């Protein structure tokens, strides 16, 4: 998929003095090979790669600061790169420049189990963090499908299946270490669980997608592993039955840990990919956390709500391996769907609406997909009113891409008309810049632009993302 | 208590053209009388009043916008005023100007019970909101002691006794309507429960204390009223026993709704004020929300933890009137303490530390109070690691004030050394500006200043608060 901006092949190479200064810091950890640049010029979106001029592999906040300082002096763009799992073109080097790969910043800084906090370098992934916590009795709940880096998750305000119970990166980030656009190092907060001390710099950087500064360390909240966990799956005759079951569950205040919706297309795909035999109907996947008694109570209540909405085949998965099998399948949905149309790439979009409008928003969006004969699935973290549309397109077929983009644009307009947002958890990147304006209006966008200009006056921090200069 | 800044008596009066333009909008809702100006030039801090030159009583966002537009054109300061219950000098008119009293903006805009959201004008107080919600089965949990306005609560990032379970205004504000420094009206978010759509303007304004814009409408999350509530009170032989009981409760993940600590001085004061007979020892006050079964389970668990920490006199308050009596007493602690030293004013400060350091921080601060012979109490939302020191001082006795300020400064230094924050929920106002610098360091303060300059280039929005220009 092409994007109507300057292609990276047109970029001037980096100034020689910048390159040699970077080489003296990074030596073999600097690369200008085409393969490395191409790898870093793409994400999981359907955009064609846009290559940076060089990639450095940083191992410390000081190295990031030194790199940014040099790029700042030369007016050269800097793009942070975590795990490359973003979905809206976040890491593409629109104007070339230097990509800072943070994956080697993968050290834990501290686990304070007694305070339920952990501090990690930005390249630590969520799964790595949970491995590190394994024997502590604690866990970190935020789980976008991919094994994203904590820095990237903070930068895109990620959430995922557990957000309905535990919140998103917005609620779970206590503090960040950030390198500012002129290469200074700041700490945005402390390990205190709440604070009224001045402007909320943590929340300014959470969700800023590398456009205001580079996150190099992340301090997050942890949670005690629940005494008991159980999962359940059930099927519904229609999408609206499934969604209405969720709405009632939330409105009754059941403290459900996860509730995921898959439409019949999604179920079909994971059946094929993960060798499951789920009924190929709209499906909900639940998880309950709490005491033994509490989990049982929640589960019984939800089962009775589901029955009122014509659920069939309510099945329990209490053994860890059964739960894990279901959730692995859910997290593989993206890859499972790609296999439904070989050679395709996914245009994956999301939106989030007040929960009372969720059924209507999903149904209208499904109808639009059907009308346009998309190979698609709708999958959602429906407890939050958040759902995804994954459309398998041939990225080189302009008509196919245009159809998908039409579905996307109409979904966003629909969500905004319902007082929802153009993206619940994917972020803006390149792909939703116009939708952001549509959502917030010119005056609020002016405030965002004022913030960008104040924090990055030379426009070198991941330029061309979120808002136009 | 004096503050070493320009006194409002030195201010020039407002430009005649501004005054007449404001008069044409507000007519009798504009006042320049000394009594009204003095009332609006003070809060619950111990500062002497600093008077604005005029007070207008706004009834709509448009009136606020018109006022700010006029003041912007004339370079005159604008100070928003809600319920006047702030504690750190937030609303004092340091440089004169126009105070906008928002208490007549007390209309509900919308309650969306099915989505668990409500939108209210900024002058609606938390108690009013809960009265409006009474028959909906929902409630709004955030409760700083005072019956503060929602606008003021958002502006100071308020929290209170329920924050350990439900979060603070940071987590519970979905969207704001804000009048910017040049008089434009923006909406910072939607009613979607999560969003990754651009910079988090909502969180930029939450906690900005009127220095970046004026909040005129607030959209908050609501919660289903719990099926069951119970409260309990118990006493401990020492502060550290009480605090360690809380630490263990939190570390075990008990989803406690409230847990409040009162030292023996606080208990004495509320016994006198509310005619109670609580043992005059360190005390914890608990509240549990959930299903009948869940509440019982939590309460039994906490009772056994308390017993391990030598708790005595564990008493249940399951009847609403008994619960209400206890919590009313807790919320009256501030006034009860004032009566312990007639004619005194309270220097009320707070800090918040990682919970593992809480006992140490409280004990050292208590020792400091004792050493300085303060009339004081330490009271805390200890589940969050947040506590208050209330010191009754003669505001006109410089030595007395200096002693209290010494205790305050040492408490803040202690909290910061423990990776805590200089204020958990009171905010910065006038009183904690130096501590803010101490906490964040010059580089982070520079970013806050860049934000202030970008959003309020003429420095007219509540000038002289949070950070120095």
């Amino acid at each position: 998929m092409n994007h109507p901006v300057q292609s990276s092949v047109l970029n001037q190479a980096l100034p020689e003095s910048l390159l040699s200064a970077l080489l003296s810091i990074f030596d073999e950890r600097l690369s200008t090979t085409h393969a490395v640049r191409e790898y870093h010029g793409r994400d999981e979106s359907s955009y064609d790669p846009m290559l940076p001029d060089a990639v450095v592999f940083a191992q410390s906040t000081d190295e990031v600061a030194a790199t940014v300082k040099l790029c700042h002096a030369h007016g050269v763009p800097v793009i942070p790169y975590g795990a490359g799992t973003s979905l809206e073109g976040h890491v593409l080097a629109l104007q070339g420049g230097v990509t800072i790969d943070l994956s080697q910043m993968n050290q834990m800084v501290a686990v304070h189990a007694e305070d339920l906090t952990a501090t990690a370098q930005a390249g630590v992934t969520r799964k790595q963090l949970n491995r590190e916590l394994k024997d502590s009795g604690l866990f970190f709940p935020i789980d976008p499908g991919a094994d994203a880096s904590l820095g990237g998750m903070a930068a895109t305000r990620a959430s995922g299946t557990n957000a309905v119970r535990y919140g998103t990166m917005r609620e779970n980030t206590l503090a960040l270490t950030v390198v500012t656009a002129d290469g200074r190092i700041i700490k945005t907060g402390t390990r205190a669980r709440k604070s009224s001390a001045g402007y909320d710099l943590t929340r300014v950087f959470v969700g800023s997608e590398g456009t205001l500064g580079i996150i190099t360390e992340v301090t997050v909240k942890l949670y005690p592993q629940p005494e008991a966990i159980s999962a359940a799956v059930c099927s519904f005759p229609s999408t609206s039955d499934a969604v209405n079951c969720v709405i009632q569950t939330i409105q009754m205040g059941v403290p459900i840990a996860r509730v995921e919706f898959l439409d019949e297309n999604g179920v079909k795909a994971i059946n094929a990919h993960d060798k499951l035999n789920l009924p190929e109907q709209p499906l909900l996947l639940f998880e309950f956390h709490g005491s033994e008694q509490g989990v049982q109570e929640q589960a019984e209540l939800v089962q009775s709500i589901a029955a009122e909405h014509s659920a069939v085949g309510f099945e329990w998965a209490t053994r860890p391996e059964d739960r894990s099998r279901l959730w692995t399948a859910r997290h593989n949905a993206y890859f499972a769907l790609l296999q439904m149309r070989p050679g395709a790439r996914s245009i994956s979009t999301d939106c989030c609406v007040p929960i009372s409008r969720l059924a209507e928003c999903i149904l209208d969006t499904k109808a639009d997909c059907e009308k346009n004969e998309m190979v698609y699935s709708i999958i959602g973290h429906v407890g939050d009113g958040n759902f995804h549309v994954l459309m398998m397109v041939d990225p080189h077929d302009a008509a196919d891409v245009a159809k998908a983009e039409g579905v996307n644009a109409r979904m966003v307009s629909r969500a905004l008309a319902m007082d929802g947002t153009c993206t619940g958890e994917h972020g803006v990147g390149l792909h939703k810049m116009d939708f952001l304006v549509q959502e917030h209006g010119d005056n609020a966008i002016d405030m965002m632009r004022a913030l960008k200009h104040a924090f990055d006056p030379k426009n070198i921090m991941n330029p061309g993302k979120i808002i136009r200069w």
Side-chain angles (χ1 to χ4, degrees), chain A:
Chain A
M1 192 167 93
N2 291 311
H3 195 267
V5 289
Q6 181 192 10
S7 158
S8 60
V9 295
L10 299 178
N11 288 332
Q12 294 188 304
L14 297 179
E16 197 51 51
S17 60
L18 171 59
L19 204 57
S20 64
L22 289 174
L23 260 174
S24 76
I25 300 172
F26 291 99
D27 194 17
E28 290 186 349
R29 289 185 285 120
L30 180 150
S31 176
T32 54
T33 65
H34 189 270
V36 170
R37 290 162 52 223
E38 187 174 38
Y39 180 82
H40 288 83
R42 68 191 314 161
D43 61 6
E44 295 287 349
S45 70
S46 59
Y47 286 112
D48 291 334
M50 306 180 93
L51 281 54
D53 298 301
V55 178
V56 298
F57 295 83
Q59 292 178 342
S60 70
T61 297
D62 285 341
E63 285 186 351
V64 174
T67 304
V68 174
K69 211 168 272 178
L70 285 166
C71 289
H72 181 258
H74 287 86
V76 164
V78 191
I79 301 143
Y81 185 99
T85 53
S86 54
L87 291 161
E88 301 290 9
H90 294 76
V91 296
L92 276 60
L94 244 76
Q95 304 173 21
V98 176
T99 288
I100 304 181
D101 183 313
L102 298 155
S103 62
Q104 295 182 17
M105 288 187 64
N106 60 357
Q107 302 299 305
M108 295 300 299
V109 178
V111 175
H112 289 96
E114 68 288 8
D115 293 319
L116 312 179
T117 73
T119 302
Q121 286 189 311
V124 169
T125 69
R126 64 180 184 91
K127 288 186 183 171
Q128 181 191 345
L129 174 57
N130 275 320
R131 281 194 302 272
E132 305 273 358
L133 295 173
K134 209 170 148 219
D135 299 324
S136 68
L138 303 174
F139 79 116
F140 174 67
I142 318 295
D143 71 329
D147 188 20
S149 67
L150 295 178
M153 288 169 64
T156 53
R157 207 180 291 129
S159 45
T161 60
N162 277 311
V164 62
R165 168 76 168 263
Y166 297 96
T168 72
M169 287 302 281
R170 180 173 77 191
E171 288 80 25
N172 285 288
T173 305
L174 287 171
L176 299 168
T177 302
V178 172
V179 172
T180 64
D182 57 1
R184 288 188 286 174
I185 298 168
I186 63 169
K187 258 197 80 175
T188 63
T190 71
R191 292 198 302 109
R193 289 182 88 74
K194 64 185 200 185
S195 173
S196 291
Y199 304 141
D200 192 347
L201 291 181
T202 305
R203 254 47 58 182
V204 168
F205 286 102
V206 168
S208 67
E209 303 184 5
T211 64
L212 301 178
I214 298 185
I215 295 167
T216 61
E217 289 182 10
V218 184
T219 299
V220 293
K221 292 187 193 174
L222 306 175
Y223 295 82
Q225 283 169 12
E227 181 191 329
I229 301 179
S230 76
V233 65
C234 65
S235 301
F236 292 83
S238 73
T239 296
S240 52
D241 285 321
V243 174
N244 287 330
C245 169
V246 176
I247 293 175
Q248 198 179 334
T249 303
I250 297 298
Q251 286 173 349
M252 289 183 67
V254 182
I256 199 161
R258 293 165 146 176
V259 53
E260 295 285 298
F261 167 80
L262 275 84
D263 69 1
E264 61 282 9
N265 301 332
V267 176
K268 235 173 266 182
I270 68 169
N271 270 349
H273 185 273
D274 285 79
K275 301 186 180 40
L276 299 173
N277 281 310
L278 297 163
E280 294 184 352
Q281 283 179 277
L283 170 144
L284 290 179
L285 190 48
F286 297 97
E287 193 166 280
F288 308 96
H289 293 179
S291 66
E292 294 286 356
Q293 217 176 45
V295 161
Q296 196 184 332
E297 197 178 54
Q298 288 174 51
E300 281 167 8
L301 187 53
V302 169
Q303 186 166 5
S304 74
I305 296 170
E308 284 174 38
H309 294 278
S310 315
V312 291
F314 207 94
E315 263 186 53
W316 292 101
T318 41
R319 291 189 313 168
E321 56 272 31
D322 294 339
R323 284 206 315 272
S324 163
R325 189 145 171 258
L326 278 177
W327 286 107
T328 302
R330 161 63 189 91
H331 276 146
N332 285 341
Y334 171 77
F335 301 102
L337 280 157
L338 278 174
Q339 296 193 356
M340 301 296 276
R341 185 173 176 188
R345 278 179 76 85
S346 171
I347 291 186
S348 304
T349 183
D350 83 317
C351 69
C352 186
V353 296
I355 198 160
S356 68
R357 310 301 297 273
L358 182 61
E360 181 185 353
C361 197
I362 289 181
L363 287 171
D364 289 353
T365 304
K366 273 191 87 69
D368 198 5
C369 287
E370 296 290 343
K371 188 173 144 196
N372 283 280
E373 300 177 338
M374 306 306 300
V375 177
Y376 80 99
S377 173
I378 289 185
I379 294 185
H381 312 314
V382 284
D384 295 312
N386 178 210
F387 69 88
H388 306 264
V389 186
L390 295 88
M391 294 172 279
M392 306 303 118
V393 298
D394 175 352
H396 304 295
D397 177 343
D400 201 25
V401 170
K403 275 201 302 183
E405 292 298 349
V407 170
N408 185 25
R410 287 185 294 276
M411 175 200 75
V412 167
S413 294
R414 200 174 288 130
L416 298 185
M418 295 173 174
D419 208 0
T421 179
C422 68
T423 171
E425 58 178 21
H426 289 183
V428 177
L430 271 179
H431 197 202
K432 288 200 163 168
M433 291 169 64
D434 289 328
F435 299 141
L436 190 75
V437 179
Q438 195 184 338
E439 175 172 332
H440 288 274
D442 288 338
N443 286 335
I445 291 290
D446 278 353
M447 302 308 283
M448 291 194 196
R449 189 173 290 112
L451 177 58
K452 168 73 173 174
H453 288 194
F455 276 35
D456 178 27
K458 288 190 171 183
N459 194 24
I460 62 164
M461 305 309 282
N462 201 7
K465 314 292 167 61
I466 297 188
I467 49 167
R468 294 188 177 77
W469 186 252

